[in-house]
Amino acid sequence: MTQFSDLGLAEPVLRALSHEGYVSPTPIQAQAIPSLLDGKDLLGIAQTGTGKTAAFALPILDRLSKSSDKTRQKSCRVLVLAPTRELAAQIGDSFRAYGRFTKTSVAVVVGGVAPGPQIKAINPGVDVLVATPGRLLDHVDSGKLKLDQVDVVVLDEADHMLDLGFLPPIKRIIKMLPKSRQNLFFSATMPGQIGQLAGDMLSDPFKGS
Ligand code: AMP
């Protein structure tokens, strides 16, 4: 059976996994992590409960921990889009837990709460920003956030985001990102519009489920 130590993850990330009590990777983690570490795009057909959050968070934390780049003010290097506040908060908690032995900064930006603390968190620059699309655009439109340093973008529960009417904001956000970037796309289902969005965003993706 594959072990986390076989996947090529950085030592601080492996240490956090022992801390979490994870013994071995789930199937989507074992499949997706090596190709994500190689910088490939990913199309993941995966439900919640499969371990998909760690499947994308671990290689992203690995990439950040090996990079000497600094995140610029009002910028982020990793952008994770999620449909709901609850999911965004969970993803943020996962990045903090798996990144506990790295110096990664994480912020969560969602609607329905005061924007002030979010602006304060973004202002010095944040490595990983987890956001719902509407509030993210509010911060961009008010000049509090720039998306020109993003080098990894994750769409989580893409089908759920489209059900909630987030296709127009997602398209606007994607247009603002640098052309050269890694794209990760997760959806439990793949109806027409989702397949089209995935096709537009992804280049020769690894396909996992
Ligand atoms: P997710 O599908 O990302 O929502 O993860 C479902 C649950 O599985 C979460 O509570 C994780 O903490 C847990 N989990 C993820 N990966 C592993 C693993 N390799 N071993 C044990 N638990 C895990």
Side-chain angles (χ1 to χ4, degrees):
M1 194 172 40
T2 313
Q3 298 298 309
F4 279 115
S5 52
D6 300 330
L7 298 178
L9 292 163
E11 188 280 330
V13 178
L14 290 175
R15 197 149 31 107
L17 295 173
S18 314
H19 196 274
E20 292 297 306
Y22 294 3
V23 177
S24 48
T26 66
I28 188 152
Q29 292 164 4
Q31 278 180 46
I33 290 173
S35 59
L36 291 175
L37 288 173
D38 278 346
K40 280 192 72 107
D41 283 1
L42 173 85
L43 178 60
I45 309 294
Q47 317 263 0
T48 296
T50 53
K52 70 179 162 67
T53 313
F56 63 82
L58 300 175
I60 286 173
L61 288 161
D62 180 279
R63 183 183 178 116
L64 290 169
S65 77
K66 289 175 179 161
S67 158
S68 56
D69 292 356
K70 288 260 176 298
T71 305
R72 296 194 289 265
Q73 280 196 342
K74 297 185 184 180
S75 297
C76 63
R77 284 192 286 161
V78 175
L79 176 63
V80 183
L81 294 176
T84 63
R85 278 191 255 181
E86 294 74 20
L87 183 61
Q90 274 174 34
I91 297 169
D93 288 345
S94 297
F95 270 99
R96 290 189 185 104
Y98 306 144
R100 69 172 71 241
F101 299 116
T102 69
K103 294 196 175 82
T104 311
S105 55
V106 181
V108 176
V109 152
V110 293
V113 293
Q118 299 176 355
I119 293 168
K120 215 169 151 190
I122 301 167
N123 197 50
V126 65
D127 299 324
V128 177
L129 186 63
V130 186
T132 49
R135 179 59 67 91
L136 182 92
L137 280 176
D138 290 346
H139 289 307
V140 171
D141 290 339
S142 63
K144 305 292 184 199
L145 173 67
K146 291 183 284 190
L147 297 178
D148 58 358
Q149 206 190 356
V150 173
D151 75 351
V152 184
V153 63
V154 182
L155 260 62
D156 198 12
E157 297 197 359
D159 46 357
H160 193 181
M161 287 202 278
L162 263 61
D163 288 346
L164 294 174
F166 286 141
L167 185 59
I170 289 172
K171 284 187 166 168
R172 252 194 85 199
I173 293 165
I174 300 297
K175 274 204 195 116
M176 293 180 205
L177 305 179
K179 292 264 174 300
S180 166
R181 55 169 203 263
Q182 189 177 21
N183 301 284
L184 282 60
F185 193 107
F186 288 89
S187 193
T189 59
M190 200 52 70
Q193 270 190 322
I194 310 271
Q196 202 178 342
L197 180 64
D200 290 347
M201 275 182 71
L202 301 170
S203 144
D204 187 24
F206 176 81
K207 293 183 180 145
S209 56

